[in-house]
Amino acid sequence: MVVKVYGPVAAACPQRVLACLMEIGTEYEIIPVDLQTGEHKKPEFLARQPFGQVPVIYDGDFKLFESRAIIRYLAAKHGGHIGSNLLGRTIEEKALVDQWLEVEAHNFNDLVYTLVFQLVVLPRMGKRGDLALAHSSEQKLEKVLDIYEERLSKSDYLAGNSFTMADLSHLPGIRYLVEDAGMGHLIRGRKHVSAWWDTISSRPAWKKVMHLLN
Amino acid sequence: MALKLHGIPMSSCTARVLLCLYEKGLQFELLPVDLAAGVHKQQPYLPLNPFGLIPALEDGDFSLFESRAITRYLARKHNDIGTDLLRSNSLNESSIVDTWMEVEAHEFNGPMESIMHQLVRNPILEKPTDEKIIEGEMEKLAKVLDVYEERLSKYKYLAGDYYTMADLHHIPYMLYFMRTTKATVVTARQKVNAWWNDIISRPASIKVSESLKF
């Protein structure tokens, strides 16, 4: 069964899902959604995702949205042994994966989103970004990444000593920070965060996602 | 060994965990954290939550932070007692629960948190209330609740015809919100209002509601 993924490859949340699909080696088909023309806010798409956001997946008749719910489902349904490792095997391992997934969602994601929106998206639309807002987000992100630095000085990956969904969930956001928003110093200036980024971004699965971008 | 929850009953994130503990009928000890004295930003608290936030959970030697990771952990570990909050016996059902947990975290929580900061937290901190921010966030919240209205016209609860963690996660902020003049955005929507009245009348919800006072 081929999993259908609705969404543009260039967007962070579809990339989260694609990274998961590549890790578990599940066949997929991408159906692009044109965000520039507002396709995601039109009735046909809203019937798929009522909040008008990408991605949405269909696994046969089963439809799911919200990228972090999708990756959990895919790993459990199609991931086999690799999927179990990504989600955590024991109750405690699963809890630590969940904990760092929540950290990504609540302490990291919004700051990255603001930075990328103000420094990359608005200028691309020919508008001026709010530099003060970007700067304050950057300062907050510095403090968050100090905590990541401390964590990664004690374990190779966020939830322990193996790569999990918690690390995977960060890939799209960090790529945007480093490659598009000129915020590479946030990563490179921290020895353990930098080494972790190098490790997770050089995984074959992520390289396949990056290949799709070109 | 008893569960220890570090936090205060008035905190919405602590309340989120309390709701889960009560739904499951679990024994636990609530260890108050003196926020005014900054206990959460120093040793010995920081190893429990390096982001300096409440709550944090200790279960024997194992500790966890992020309220939504804690609730998942408790529900998963004690799957066979109390309310079935995660629907883990069915992958499809549990994935839909995951989806609406993500909706709460990414669509609902943001506007709700901003509004509550303006209406409740700012006056306590003797900061001005920004009506423009409230107006903007209320618009976002109204759109989200329109989607909920549609969803709840098809199902009794967000993830289906059964109460789950997806509904539970909404309760803490809503308990505060429904006491403000902005509550009409909920009461004006028939299905959302009925859903709210249903979930707030559960014994666990009543117990937490009584302790959410300031």
Side-chain angles (χ1 to χ4, degrees):
Chain A
M1 184 73 79
V2 174
V3 172
K4 292 189 182 165
V5 183
Y6 282 75
V9 177
C13 295
Q15 285 176 8
R16 186 175 283 117
V17 171
L18 291 167
C20 174
L21 286 163
M22 303 298 193
E23 287 286 347
I24 63 180
T26 298
E27 274 190 65
Y28 64 91
E29 183 194 338
I30 297 172
I31 296 103
V33 175
D34 191 346
L35 305 185
Q36 315 276 37
T37 60
E39 188 185 337
H40 54 315
K41 303 294 179 190
K42 297 194 173 130
E44 197 189 325
F45 189 81
L46 289 173
R48 301 186 194 281
Q49 213 283 20
F51 298 94
Q53 292 172 345
V54 290
V56 182
I57 67 148
Y58 288 81
D59 188 2
D61 289 332
F62 186 60
K63 180 190 76 172
L64 215 49
F65 56 87
E66 284 295 338
S67 62
R68 295 169 189 83
I70 292 170
I71 60 179
R72 287 175 189 278
Y73 165 79
L74 290 172
K77 178 88 185 206
H78 299 296
H81 154 77
I82 294 176
S84 302
N85 290 345
L86 286 173
L87 293 170
R89 287 153 301 194
T90 65
I91 290 203
E92 282 83 18
E93 279 179 21
K94 285 180 208 277
L96 291 175
V97 174
D98 287 342
Q99 177 182 275
W100 287 96
L101 273 169
E102 291 300 319
V103 167
E104 184 273 322
H106 293 283
N107 296 356
F108 177 86
N109 183 65
D110 290 350
L111 295 172
V112 173
Y113 184 87
T114 300
L115 268 169
V116 173
F117 192 74
Q118 300 301 330
L119 297 177
V120 181
V121 175
L122 284 175
R124 278 185 192 165
M125 284 161 57
K127 295 180 184 173
R128 187 179 289 171
D130 182 337
L131 294 182
L133 180 56
H135 185 64
S136 111
S137 298
E138 185 188 344
Q139 287 182 308
K140 289 177 188 169
L141 194 49
E142 295 256 26
K143 293 199 171 121
V144 168
L145 289 170
D146 284 342
I147 297 167
Y148 279 53
E149 180 66 11
E150 173 68 25
R151 172 63 183 171
L152 293 164
S153 71
K154 295 181 188 137
S155 65
D156 293 338
Y157 299 91
L158 288 171
N161 287 322
S162 339
F163 178 79
T164 68
M165 237 24 132
D167 309 289
L168 183 152
S169 200
H170 285 81
L171 285 161
I174 298 182
R175 191 211 68 82
Y176 261 106
L177 276 183
V178 171
E179 292 180 21
D180 293 351
M183 291 283 136
H185 59 280
L186 292 174
I187 303 299
R188 295 303 174 204
R190 291 169 172 81
K191 180 178 154 191
H192 296 97
V193 171
S194 184
W196 167 73
W197 168 243
D198 282 338
T199 302
I200 66 175
S201 59
S202 56
R203 289 179 72 86
W206 184 242
K207 286 190 185 292
K208 285 182 194 165
V209 178
M210 291 298 94
H211 189 67
L212 288 176
L213 274 180
N214 300 324
Chain B
M1 199 176 293
L3 289 166
K4 291 181 191 169
L5 180 65
H6 298 260
I8 56 172
M10 282 153 38
S11 133
S12 54
C13 294
T14 306
R16 190 172 283 122
V17 179
L18 289 171
L19 284 162
C20 178
L21 287 161
Y22 293 140
E23 287 286 346
K24 284 298 187 179
L26 295 169
Q27 296 298 313
F28 67 96
E29 202 186 332
L30 179 65
L31 300 174
V33 177
D34 189 346
L35 302 181
V39 164
H40 54 317
K41 305 286 182 191
Q42 313 162 31
Q43 302 293 339
Y45 182 81
L46 280 176
L48 293 174
N49 187 330
F51 293 89
L53 300 168
I54 57 169
L57 182 84
E58 285 184 278
D59 187 358
D61 290 332
F62 183 63
S63 73
L64 203 57
F65 59 90
E66 284 296 330
S67 62
R68 294 172 186 83
I70 295 172
T71 56
R72 270 186 197 272
Y73 166 75
L74 292 169
R76 197 184 272 134
K77 184 167 180 179
H78 301 282
N79 186 49
D80 43 0
I81 58 170
T83 313
D84 180 8
L85 292 168
L86 294 176
R87 312 294 298 184
S88 5
N89 291 342
S90 156
L91 178 59
N92 283 11
E93 282 182 18
S94 66
S95 298
I96 306 280
V97 177
D98 284 346
T99 297
W100 289 90
M101 281 201 270
E102 292 299 323
V103 167
E104 182 275 323
H106 294 285
E107 303 297 328
F108 179 86
N109 187 66
M112 186 56 84
E113 194 171 78
S114 299
I115 293 163
M116 294 315 293
H117 280 177
Q118 293 299 321
L119 287 180
V120 177
R121 194 189 67 166
N122 281 6
I124 293 176
L125 296 176
E126 289 175 4
K127 281 181 175 177
T129 294
D130 189 328
E131 287 299 332
K132 261 197 121 184
I133 292 180
I134 295 178
E135 205 184 303
E137 297 298 323
M138 283 297 294
E139 252 189 74
K140 289 181 195 168
L141 183 62
K143 288 191 176 137
V144 169
L145 291 178
D146 284 341
V147 178
Y148 282 30
E149 185 69 7
E150 174 69 25
R151 176 75 181 170
L152 293 164
S153 69
K154 296 185 187 131
Y155 300 98
K156 193 167 179 212
Y157 300 98
L158 288 171
D161 289 322
Y162 28 77
Y163 179 75
T164 68
M165 200 70 90
D167 309 290
L168 184 154
H169 279 180
H170 287 79
I171 294 176
Y173 267 136
M174 280 187 79
L175 276 170
Y176 280 117
F177 182 78
M178 293 307 287
R179 298 174 194 169
T180 71
T181 53
K182 304 297 179 188
T184 46
V185 78
V186 170
T187 56
R189 287 166 173 77
Q190 193 201 21
K191 301 293 181 186
V192 177
N193 194 42
W195 165 77
W196 171 246
N197 287 324
D198 180 306
I199 68 178
I200 201 57
S201 61
R202 297 177 67 85
S205 309
I206 291 171
K207 223 166 164 178
V208 165
S209 173
E210 281 162 358
S211 60
L212 264 175
K213 286 180 170 75
F214 46 86

